[in-house]
Short mmCIF file of all heavy atoms in Angstrom, two decimals:
data_model
loop_
_atom_site.label_atom_id
_atom_site.label_comp_id
_atom_site.label_asym_id
_atom_site.label_seq_id
_atom_site.Cartn_x
_atom_site.Cartn_y
_atom_site.Cartn_z
N THR A 422 8.49 10.91 59.96
CA THR A 422 8.26 12.26 60.58
C THR A 422 6.77 12.41 61.00
O THR A 422 6.44 12.88 62.05
CB THR A 422 8.74 13.38 59.59
OG1 THR A 422 10.12 13.24 59.38
CG2 THR A 422 8.42 14.74 60.28
N ARG A 423 5.93 12.03 60.00
CA ARG A 423 4.41 12.11 60.34
C ARG A 423 4.03 11.15 61.31
O ARG A 423 3.19 11.62 62.19
CB ARG A 423 3.69 11.85 58.95
CG ARG A 423 3.81 12.96 57.92
CD ARG A 423 2.81 12.83 56.83
NE ARG A 423 2.74 11.59 56.12
CZ ARG A 423 3.55 11.22 54.93
NH1 ARG A 423 4.26 12.30 54.53
NH2 ARG A 423 3.56 10.14 54.38
N VAL A 424 4.59 10.07 61.45
CA VAL A 424 4.34 9.16 62.54
C VAL A 424 4.69 9.61 63.91
O VAL A 424 4.11 9.63 64.89
CB VAL A 424 4.98 7.69 62.21
CG1 VAL A 424 4.92 6.76 63.58
CG2 VAL A 424 4.31 6.99 61.04
N GLY A 425 5.92 10.28 63.85
CA GLY A 425 6.42 10.92 65.05
C GLY A 425 5.56 11.92 65.57
O GLY A 425 5.36 12.13 66.78
N GLU A 426 5.04 12.90 64.63
CA GLU A 426 4.18 13.96 65.09
C GLU A 426 2.90 13.39 65.62
O GLU A 426 2.40 14.05 66.55
CB GLU A 426 3.94 14.88 63.83
CG GLU A 426 5.19 15.58 63.38
CD GLU A 426 5.72 16.46 64.47
OE1 GLU A 426 5.06 17.07 65.40
OE2 GLU A 426 7.11 16.47 64.60
N LEU A 427 2.34 12.32 65.09
CA LEU A 427 1.11 11.78 65.71
C LEU A 427 1.48 11.22 67.07
O LEU A 427 0.63 11.42 67.93
CB LEU A 427 0.72 10.54 64.76
CG LEU A 427 -0.01 10.92 63.42
CD1 LEU A 427 -0.18 9.82 62.60
CD2 LEU A 427 -1.30 11.77 63.67
N ILE A 428 2.53 10.63 67.26
CA ILE A 428 2.89 10.11 68.66
C ILE A 428 3.08 11.32 69.53
O ILE A 428 2.83 11.33 70.73
CB ILE A 428 4.13 9.18 68.58
CG1 ILE A 428 3.87 7.96 67.72
CG2 ILE A 428 4.67 8.90 69.89
CD1 ILE A 428 5.07 7.09 67.44
N GLY A 429 3.66 12.37 68.96
CA GLY A 429 3.99 13.57 69.71
C GLY A 429 2.90 14.20 70.39
O GLY A 429 3.00 14.66 71.56
N VAL A 430 1.77 14.21 69.69
CA VAL A 430 0.38 14.69 70.36
C VAL A 430 0.18 13.93 71.66
O VAL A 430 -0.19 14.54 72.65
CB VAL A 430 -0.69 14.62 69.35
CG1 VAL A 430 -1.96 15.00 69.98
CG2 VAL A 430 -0.49 15.57 68.21
N GLN A 431 0.34 12.63 71.62
CA GLN A 431 -0.01 11.80 72.73
C GLN A 431 1.09 12.04 73.81
O GLN A 431 0.70 12.07 75.05
CB GLN A 431 0.07 10.31 72.38
CG GLN A 431 -1.08 9.93 71.35
CD GLN A 431 -2.45 10.27 71.88
OE1 GLN A 431 -2.76 10.02 72.95
NE2 GLN A 431 -3.34 10.91 71.04
N ILE A 432 2.32 12.19 73.34
CA ILE A 432 3.37 12.44 74.28
C ILE A 432 3.13 13.69 75.11
O ILE A 432 3.37 13.73 76.35
CB ILE A 432 4.74 12.45 73.65
CG1 ILE A 432 5.09 11.08 73.07
CG2 ILE A 432 5.92 12.88 74.62
CD1 ILE A 432 6.46 11.07 72.20
N ARG A 433 2.72 14.73 74.44
CA ARG A 433 2.52 15.96 75.12
C ARG A 433 1.44 15.80 76.23
O ARG A 433 1.66 16.47 77.43
CB ARG A 433 2.05 17.06 74.10
CG ARG A 433 2.20 18.40 74.53
CD ARG A 433 1.83 19.42 73.51
NE ARG A 433 2.73 19.53 72.37
CZ ARG A 433 3.83 20.20 72.38
NH1 ARG A 433 4.17 20.83 73.50
NH2 ARG A 433 4.54 20.26 71.31
N LEU A 434 0.46 15.09 76.00
CA LEU A 434 -0.57 14.90 76.97
C LEU A 434 -0.06 14.02 78.15
O LEU A 434 -0.28 14.27 79.36
CB LEU A 434 -1.79 14.25 76.42
CG LEU A 434 -2.86 13.76 77.48
CD1 LEU A 434 -3.53 15.03 78.05
CD2 LEU A 434 -3.93 12.91 76.73
N LEU A 435 0.72 12.99 77.86
CA LEU A 435 1.30 12.09 78.78
C LEU A 435 2.31 12.89 79.68
O LEU A 435 2.42 12.64 80.84
CB LEU A 435 1.88 10.89 78.19
CG LEU A 435 0.93 10.01 77.30
CD1 LEU A 435 1.63 8.93 76.72
CD2 LEU A 435 -0.26 9.63 78.13
N VAL A 436 3.15 13.69 79.13
CA VAL A 436 4.15 14.57 79.83
C VAL A 436 3.48 15.45 80.77
O VAL A 436 3.84 15.62 81.94
CB VAL A 436 5.04 15.29 78.80
CG1 VAL A 436 5.87 16.39 79.70
CG2 VAL A 436 5.95 14.48 78.05
N ALA A 437 2.22 15.97 80.41
CA ALA A 437 1.48 16.75 81.36
C ALA A 437 1.09 16.03 82.54
O ALA A 437 1.00 16.49 83.64
CB ALA A 437 0.24 17.36 80.60
N THR A 438 0.73 14.64 82.37
CA THR A 438 0.38 13.89 83.51
C THR A 438 1.54 13.60 84.38
O THR A 438 1.41 13.58 85.62
CB THR A 438 -0.26 12.55 82.96
OG1 THR A 438 -1.41 12.85 82.14
CG2 THR A 438 -0.72 11.63 84.15
N THR A 439 2.70 13.20 83.77
CA THR A 439 3.92 12.88 84.57
C THR A 439 4.55 14.03 85.29
O THR A 439 5.28 13.96 86.11
CB THR A 439 4.97 12.12 83.73
OG1 THR A 439 5.32 13.02 82.57
CG2 THR A 439 4.53 10.75 83.31
N ALA A 440 4.18 15.26 84.83
CA ALA A 440 4.67 16.48 85.47
C ALA A 440 4.25 16.53 87.03
O ALA A 440 4.90 17.18 87.84
CB ALA A 440 4.08 17.66 84.94
N ARG A 441 3.22 15.73 87.32
CA ARG A 441 2.79 15.63 88.68
C ARG A 441 3.46 14.57 89.45
O ARG A 441 3.17 14.33 90.67
CB ARG A 441 1.32 15.53 88.78
CG ARG A 441 0.47 16.65 88.19
CD ARG A 441 -1.02 16.54 88.27
NE ARG A 441 -1.56 15.63 87.26
CZ ARG A 441 -1.74 15.81 86.02
NH1 ARG A 441 -1.49 16.99 85.49
NH2 ARG A 441 -2.24 14.96 85.20
N ALA A 442 4.36 13.80 88.77
CA ALA A 442 5.15 12.80 89.45
C ALA A 442 6.47 13.36 90.05
O ALA A 442 7.21 13.85 89.22
CB ALA A 442 5.48 11.60 88.45
N PRO A 443 6.63 13.42 91.33
CA PRO A 443 7.85 14.00 91.93
C PRO A 443 9.16 13.52 91.39
O PRO A 443 9.36 12.26 91.29
CB PRO A 443 7.75 13.69 93.37
CG PRO A 443 6.25 13.38 93.57
CD PRO A 443 5.73 12.81 92.38
N GLY A 444 9.93 14.47 90.89
CA GLY A 444 11.35 14.00 90.40
C GLY A 444 11.42 13.48 89.03
O GLY A 444 12.39 13.16 88.46
#
Side-chain angles (χ1 to χ4, degrees):
T422 298
R423 292 198 296 275
V424 171
E426 291 305 320
L427 287 172
I428 295 174
V430 171
Q431 298 301 315
I432 292 174
R433 197 177 289 280
L434 176 68
L435 300 181
V436 167
T438 301
T439 54
R441 297 182 285 281

